[in-house]
Amino acid sequence: MIEAGWFYGDDLFLPQARTDADHENWMSFHRPEVEAHDMLLELFGMRDFWLFGGRMEALGLTFERHPTRPRFVTVKLDQEGLLSGLTTAVSGLTDWIKIDQVVRPEVRDV
C-alpha cells in the first residue's frame, strides 16, 4: 500500500527508539501475525468474541491470544488442504485482503 501511494508523509511515522512508548505500542500491534489475527477476526465479524482465543470449525482456523505486551496472538489453519476454503471465504467478503497460498514453514522466535 505504501508503494501504491496510499500512505505518505506523516502517515509513514515509524518510531525508532526502543525506549519510546510509541515504538512499544507500534510493535505490539503491527507485526504480521497480529495483523492477520485481527483482520480475520474483524472480517468474520468476531472481533470482540473471544478473550483468549477460539476456533472457527467451518474453516479450520484456531485463534490464540495470550494477555501479554507486546501482544502475542496467532491464527493457525489446521491443515494445508483447507487453504483454498479460507481463500474462497475471504475473497467472498472483501477484495482488500488477498491470501498468499504459498505454504511456508512455521517460524518461531527463540
Side-chain angles (χ1 to χ4, degrees), residues 30-47:
H30 298 287
R31 295 186 327 272
E33 63 274 18
V34 174
E35 293 288 337
H37 174 276
D38 292 352
M39 282 193 295
L40 288 171
L41 281 181
E42 179 84 25
L43 184 65
F44 293 119
M46 299 179 297
R47 193 172 115 210

Side-chain angles (χ1 to χ4, degrees), residues 40 43 83-84 86-88 90-91 97-102:
L40 288 171
L43 184 65
L83 189 56
S84 62
L86 175 62
T87 302
T88 301
V90 168
S91 64
I97 299 173
K98 302 289 182 208
I99 304 279
D100 178 355
Q101 294 207 25
V102 175

Side-chain angles (χ1 to χ4, degrees), residues 65-83:
R65 184 184 303 177
H66 190 273
T68 60
R69 186 167 177 85
R71 290 178 70 213
F72 177 67
V73 297
T74 57
V75 59
K76 296 178 183 175
L77 191 61
D78 289 343
Q79 53 188 283
E80 253 180 74
L82 298 173
L83 189 56

